[in-house]
Amino acid sequence: MYTPGYNLQKGAEMPDIWDVVVVGSGNAGLCAGIAACEKGASVLVLEKADAAMAGGNTKYTAGAMRFAYDTSDDLLPLLANPDDPRIPNADFGAYPAATFKADLLGFNDGAPLTPEQEILVTQSYDTMVWLAGHGVTYDPIWARQSFEKDGKFIFWGGLTLAAENEGVGLFDMERAAFEKLGGTLQYDAAFASLVLDDGRVTGVRLACGTQIAAKSVVLACGGFESNAQMRADLIGPEWAGAKVRGTPHNMGDGLQAAWDAGAVRYGRFEGCHATPMDFFMKDFGNVDIPHGERKNYRKISYFLGLMVNENGKRFVDEGYDFRNYTYAQFGRAVLQQPGQRAWQIFDAKVFDLLYAEYRFHDAHFVQADDLPSLLAQCDGLNAAAALDTITAFNASVDDAVPFDPTAKDGKSAETDGLAKSNWAQRIDQGPYRAFPVTGGITFTYGGLKVSDRAQVLDAEGAPIAGLFACGEMVGGVFLNGYPGGSGLTSGAVFGRLAGTAAVSQS
Ligand SMILES: Cc1cc2nc3c(=O)[nH]c(=O)nc-3n(C[C@H](O)[C@H](O)[C@H](O)COP(=O)(O)OP(=O)(O)OC[C@H]3O[C@@H](n4cnc5c(N)ncnc54)[C@H](O)[C@@H]3O)c2cc1C
């Protein structure tokens, strides 16, 4: 039984049947909403959280978005401030589609590019331009993705732009665009299940019991990263105890509802995005601290030092690649260590190179003038074994190669046959610092199989009529890793596709 004219905003005229109901107000959901409104549809976005927590993981991000582009000039139409005096001195390089694809392939464990990855890459730039046309604009990531050389700002790693005012700014700009086009956003409206009629989705049921009729439904309510039971069941038992870097609301509600409606499970469930995090952070991300500080529980400068587990042993090649390409895997690696923790150890030579998150007022670390005193302060660490590891590491550092943090310098060292392939400097200049870390989950990779129009597919590969999905819910976009900044772009690409197709099918 539908609730007729479900009146969400007092006094507003609401349709009895919405053209499109979108579940979730993150980047993917709002992109779907914008695309559907653009086609003239009546669109309702339902959001489980209140106004402060709406926007899900999107709000926790730095707003960094990876997309293919051929020249520096391609970036100009996307910039919030093209007159920034630094722009003429910026070298954004190029990030051709082939390089984006190669970066994704680097995480595919030898598997070919998936159809979802093809869509992500080939539609990434057009989608950025489309969003910019709706007033969603970007700033170059001066601090994290560029370095200054001979008066020029050289960008590296293919990740050059972030939404103005980061994730909160992205949410604000997208919400404004959506509402300007006539879309309705309802907070405190938790989706519970899909309503089906003869195999076709005809609406949604809220947790409060209300039913809302819709010609099409777009699911955009995130993965299952906030749900400890689903993490343990679907990723692995060690994930039950992971910290959650973002919203507490992505409980897998939409995935479960779609699977119940016959959608096929698709993607790498044992894969997920995770990163080393402060061992003492709270269980979920804190959206109340200033947005610029929200990422500060993350600890990803390990490439400048080394990481040891409780047994005092290294367990990853900290310098395998630029941190953009390793931190997601290393979050899992830390969770797999005894006690689900490790210590990142640095000497004074690199303190100034550590990311700002290491100077965050709430960063936990110990400091000492000599290594034995430092390691003795690390509760739970086998200090003697850790000292042996560092001594062996220092003895194997390749002095012939100069240290260069702006390139994969090939300056290597090893312990117990495990290399540190780049940026291996001796840890020999006090004072020393040790940061205790654990693994924090960012988002999950397994989800739904969608068509190239974001229709949700069943086990036979047939679309479930009236049902679309986008964002974290789409499986197959990431397999065993993630080039930083691709999550938001994927949400925007599949959100736009879902919103557009939902209207043409309504
Ligand atoms: C700390 C952090 C930093 C990140 N940094 C970046 C970055 O810089 N660049 C990048 O590309 N990616 C980044 N990511 C990943 C990025 O956040 C996600 O890929 C992206 O935000 C997912 O968008 P989404 O719209 O699918 O999900 P979300 O943004 O999480 O939106 C889902 C929404 O659905 C709502 N919801 C959930 N269940 C229900 C329900 N039952 N009923 C109604 N609503 C519901 C949630 O409250 C939420 O608002 C980061 C993630 C985190 C946590």
Side-chain angles (χ1 to χ4, degrees):
M1 176 69 88
Y2 289 108
T3 309
Y6 179 56
N7 200 344
L8 301 153
Q9 293 175 341
K10 278 205 172 77
E13 201 53 44
M14 294 293 154
D16 285 348
I17 302 181
W18 294 86
D19 291 328
V20 181
V21 164
V22 178
V23 183
S25 70
N27 167 59
L30 289 174
C31 286
I34 293 167
C37 283
E38 220 176 28
K39 301 273 172 213
S42 61
V43 185
L44 170 65
V45 171
L46 295 169
E47 170 54 53
K48 179 182 187 175
D50 60 15
M53 291 290 286
N57 280 343
T58 298
K59 260 194 191 162
Y60 291 80
T61 71
M65 292 178 76
R66 181 179 294 269
F67 56 94
Y69 61 94
D70 294 323
T71 70
S72 278
D73 285 351
D74 291 346
L75 270 52
L76 297 179
L78 308 176
L79 296 179
N81 184 9
D83 300 326
D84 185 321
R86 290 170 292 184
I87 297 286
N89 291 321
D91 178 359
F92 295 110
Y95 191 59
T99 310
F100 195 170
K101 289 180 183 180
D103 283 345
L104 285 162
L105 278 173
F107 295 108
N108 276 12
D109 292 337
L113 225 56
T114 65
E116 297 77 23
Q117 291 174 327
E118 285 279 359
I119 291 170
L120 163 63
V121 173
T122 53
Q123 300 193 28
S124 60
Y125 181 70
D126 282 355
T127 304
M128 293 292 286
V129 173
W130 170 75
L131 271 174
H134 284 287
V136 180
T137 50
Y138 303 86
D139 291 323
I141 312 173
W142 302 106
R144 280 181 179 260
Q145 295 294 140
S146 81
F147 58 91
E148 223 178 322
K149 202 172 183 179
D150 304 329
K152 276 217 158 260
F153 295 94
I154 317 278
F155 283 77
W156 55 274
L159 184 60
T160 45
L161 298 187
E164 204 186 345
N165 212 13
E166 305 193 328
V168 173
L170 182 64
F171 171 79
D172 287 344
M173 290 185 283
E174 290 179 341
R175 188 195 51 189
F178 172 64
E179 291 181 341
K180 190 172 161 201
L181 290 166
T184 303
L185 170 53
Q186 176 66 28
Y187 304 114
D188 300 308
F191 160 87
S193 57
L194 293 164
V195 180
L196 284 116
D197 184 6
D198 201 19
R200 183 187 172 91
V201 172
T202 58
V204 297
R205 194 176 293 104
L206 302 188
C208 62
T210 298
Q211 290 193 32
I212 301 171
K215 295 177 189 166
S216 296
V217 172
V218 177
L219 293 173
C221 48
F224 57 90
E225 57 272 2
S226 317
N227 187 325
Q229 189 61 55
M230 282 181 87
R231 288 200 305 267
D233 292 346
L234 294 169
I235 315 179
E238 74 268 30
W239 291 89
K243 305 278 186 187
V244 178
R245 299 182 57 207
T247 176
H249 291 299
N250 289 357
M251 296 289 286
D253 302 334
L255 290 172
Q256 196 56 60
W259 293 331
D260 290 346
V264 68
R265 288 177 189 225
Y266 176 69
R268 277 282 177 92
F269 284 89
E270 70 277 20
C272 65
H273 187 274
T275 175
M277 300 294 289
D278 192 314
F279 184 73
F280 294 104
M281 75 169 269
K282 294 204 164 57
D283 288 346
F284 293 94
N286 183 353
V287 87
D288 293 330
I289 58 177
H291 74 272
E293 297 183 359
R294 219 164 277 146
K295 291 186 94 145
N296 281 343
Y297 292 104
R298 194 177 70 168
K299 297 286 172 278
I300 60 167
S301 289
Y302 45 77
F303 63 97
L304 294 168
L306 50 77
M307 281 201 282
V308 291
N309 64 16
E310 283 185 355
N311 300 328
K313 298 287 185 193
R314 292 174 55 239
F315 51 94
V316 292
D317 177 349
E318 300 90 340
Y320 180 72
D321 206 334
F322 287 116
R323 51 97 186 166
N324 275 356
Y325 300 100
T326 57
Y327 67 76
Q329 291 72 28
F330 289 0
R332 170 188 282 259
V334 174
L335 274 180
Q336 288 170 335
Q337 302 312 303
Q340 302 198 297
R341 63 177 167 171
W343 286 263
Q344 295 179 353
I345 296 170
F346 306 100
D347 74 354
K349 282 199 293 297
V350 298
F351 287 174
D352 286 347
L353 295 177
L354 297 176
Y355 291 124
E357 59 215 31
Y358 288 81
R359 292 180 286 280
F360 183 41
H361 66 84
D362 202 18
H364 295 87
F365 66 92
V366 289
Q367 177 168 322
D369 289 335
D370 60 84
L371 279 167
S373 310
L374 180 87
L375 300 171
Q377 290 182 66
C378 298
D379 276 347
L381 173 67
N382 182 333
L387 188 59
D388 286 349
T389 298
I390 298 171
T391 306
F393 179 86
N394 285 348
S396 71
V397 166
D398 183 351
D399 283 326
V401 180
F403 171 72
D404 179 1
T406 67
K408 281 163 72 170
D409 61 8
K411 187 174 178 59
S412 63
E414 61 101 23
T415 59
D416 297 324
L418 175 61
K420 178 177 177 187
S421 302
N422 295 287
W423 311 300
Q425 298 194 95
R426 281 201 189 88
I427 299 183
D428 62 356
Q429 189 181 312
Y432 303 88
R433 286 182 188 161
F435 292 77
V437 293
T438 184
I441 186 166
T442 320
F443 63 96
T444 46
Y445 294 160
L448 306 174
K449 172 78 179 156
V450 298
S451 71
D452 58 4
R453 305 180 63 218
Q455 299 156 294
V456 176
L457 303 181
D458 67 15
E460 274 72 52
I464 297 175
L467 189 60
F468 303 81
C470 51
E472 289 177 0
M473 302 186 62
V474 175
V477 183
F478 307 118
L479 302 189
N480 191 30
Y482 153 97
S486 315
L488 287 173
T489 312
S490 169
V493 165
F494 284 96
R496 183 188 184 196
L497 285 171
T500 306
V503 179
S504 67
Q505 300 236 327
S506 67

